[in-house]
């Protein structure tokens, strides 16, 4: 009898653990500021981002669909630089994700919990992202950098006329 009870208890614990791992995280949990913790190209060793590497990525998902993405680097002297990547919109509903109006992809982002998601980029790179609390001034600065990635048409024209004569 003890053996049966033990087996049933063990089975129940396994089911509960599997269920907890597959628990649905609300789509709204994506809203916020995220920093890349690690990335791994298919078939290669995992790369941990951060201070030691001097490289990470930033993503912002606003409650109204606002999206910003930038690469942040730090040189050996401790100077940080922001390379804006994209600024636009995103959608994330029932596991279907799209950014910048591109085709929606199922499970391109899997919410592990409210503070962690796994991302897949072009089926070649697998990322881990962590939600972070960031000072408003810094978040706004990074988003503004991303916005400058696509200067207005008149500024584009002025650059061509004045810089690339």
């Amino acid at each position: 009898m003890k053996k049966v009870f033990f087996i049933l208890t063990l089975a129940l614990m396994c089911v509960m653990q599997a269920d907890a791992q597959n628990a649905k995280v609300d789509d709204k949990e994506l809203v916020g500021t995220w920093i890349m913790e690690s990335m791994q190209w298919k078939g290669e060793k995992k790369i941990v981002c951060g201070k030691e590497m001097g490289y990470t990525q930033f993503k912002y998902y606003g409650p109204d669909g606002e999206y910003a993405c930038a690469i942040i680097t730090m040189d050996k002297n401790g100077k940080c630089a922001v390379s804006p990547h994209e600024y636009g919109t995103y959608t994330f509903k029932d596991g279907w994700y799209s950014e910048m109006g591109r085709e929606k992809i199922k499970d391109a982002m899997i919410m592990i919990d409210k503070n962690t998601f796994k991302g897949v980029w072009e089926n070649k790179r697998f990322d881990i992202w962590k939600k972070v609390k960031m000072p408003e001034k810094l978040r706004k600065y990074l988003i503004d950098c991303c916005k400058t990635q696509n200067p207005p048409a008149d500024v584009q024209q002025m650059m061509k006329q004045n810089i690339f004569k």
Side-chain angles (χ1 to χ4, degrees):
M1 183 68 167
K2 285 183 181 182
K3 238 184 203 183
V4 172
F5 182 72
F6 176 74
I7 292 172
L8 287 174
T9 302
L10 187 61
L12 181 61
M13 287 174 54
C14 289
V15 168
M16 287 171 52
Q17 183 176 4
D19 190 45
Q21 289 174 346
N22 295 326
K24 174 83 169 110
V25 177
D26 242 357
D27 296 339
K28 69 181 178 188
E29 297 301 337
L30 184 61
V31 171
T33 304
W34 298 80
I35 297 294
M36 181 186 277
E37 183 176 86
S38 67
M39 62 180 161
Q40 183 173 10
W41 294 92
K42 195 176 254 182
E44 294 185 16
K45 186 179 174 187
K46 182 179 186 176
I47 299 167
V48 177
C49 301
K51 186 176 181 179
E52 191 171 313
M53 185 181 179
Y55 175 92
T56 193
Q57 290 185 25
F58 156 90
K59 287 195 179 196
Y60 172 73
Y61 298 100
D64 58 353
E66 180 182 26
Y67 166 76
C69 178
I71 293 169
I72 303 172
T73 57
M74 184 172 67
D75 67 18
K76 294 189 187 301
N77 297 321
K79 185 174 180 182
C80 296
V82 178
S83 299
H85 180 63
E86 294 182 314
Y87 178 81
T89 60
Y90 79 96
T91 60
F92 184 55
K93 181 118 176 97
D94 298 326
W96 288 90
Y97 177 74
S98 174
E99 58 194 31
M100 304 298 293
R102 294 186 276 266
E103 181 181 344
K104 289 182 181 180
I105 302 171
K106 179 76 170 161
D107 297 330
M109 296 173 64
I110 298 172
M111 299 292 294
I112 297 169
D113 58 39
K114 293 180 180 190
N115 298 308
T116 311
F117 77 78
K118 291 181 183 180
V120 178
W121 184 67
E122 293 187 352
N123 279 332
K124 294 184 223 170
R125 192 183 75 204
F126 305 90
D127 308 329
I128 302 292
W129 293 82
K130 289 290 186 176
K131 194 176 224 179
V132 296
K133 291 184 185 214
M134 183 176 284
E136 176 66 21
K137 184 176 182 177
L138 176 57
R139 184 186 63 78
K140 183 180 179 327
Y141 174 79
L142 293 172
I143 291 170
D144 288 346
C145 285
C146 293
K147 287 178 181 179
T148 64
Q149 175 68 17
N150 300 315
D154 61 329
V155 174
Q156 282 277 349
Q157 188 61 33
M158 285 191 283
M159 283 191 274
K160 290 175 188 174
Q161 292 172 343
N162 293 281
I163 298 172
F164 297 103
K165 303 177 198 181

